[in-house]
Amino acid sequence: LEALALDDRAAVIGGALGWLGPLGDSALSARPRLVEGGDLITFTLDLTTTAPPTVSSNARVTITLPPSATLISVSANGVITAPGGGALLWQGDVTAQAQLSWTMRVADGLPRGARLTTVAAFADNAGFRYQRRAYATVPLRYFWPIFLQGG
């Protein structure tokens, strides 16, 4: 680790040992997990801190949105901004838990098996960096022939 630049060191430690950081229990989810064109999908980021109740973890969050869906609404504890370019930004104190959620409409015409992935990259005031991913999938359709035996 000593050979790495300071910025790279934080990324490596956050990736390998991020679960030990104050926001290591945070999770990102997508509902529903199977979607079709025109469906609504909601992504939720639960920021959870393991710091003592008297200590807050200041978090900075950048969310990369899937390009094959349109942002419909955003809900957050605090202010969340959408500067464009397929991203959402949020910054605030997490004393116990903070929740960010956003709803998107899936584009029509996506191929079977397509994945709509969103990534939440965040850091805390302890220097840990975290990354969480969630996705929904356009399901594959399989047609199995049925053979009938006559008798």
Side-chain angles (χ1 to χ4, degrees), residues 14-69:
L17 302 173
W19 57 275
L20 291 173
L23 297 174
D25 289 339
S26 300
L28 177 62
S29 63
R31 297 287 180 263
R33 295 290 305 268
L34 297 176
V35 295
E36 298 281 350
D39 286 354
L40 294 179
I41 179 171
T42 299
F43 292 96
T44 303
L45 176 62
D46 289 309
L47 293 170
T48 304
T49 184
T50 56
T54 56
V55 178
S56 67
S57 295
N58 185 279
R60 296 167 308 285
V61 179
T62 301
I63 298 161
T64 305
L65 303 172
S68 49

Side-chain angles (χ1 to χ4, degrees), residues 71-134:
L71 184 64
I72 301 295
S73 66
V74 176
S75 173
N77 301 351
V79 177
I80 193 165
T81 59
L88 298 174
L89 304 174
W90 181 86
Q91 183 168 346
D93 287 330
V94 182
T95 53
Q97 186 173 28
Q99 187 175 76
L100 293 71
S101 65
W102 54 100
T103 300
M104 305 186 77
R105 184 171 308 280
V106 178
D108 288 323
L110 292 177
R112 299 280 168 210
R115 238 183 208 188
L116 290 88
T117 303
T118 192
V119 178
F122 49 103
D124 60 30
N125 52 347
F128 284 92
R129 294 181 186 168
Y130 312 85
Q131 189 176 83
R132 302 290 186 268
R133 294 176 184 273

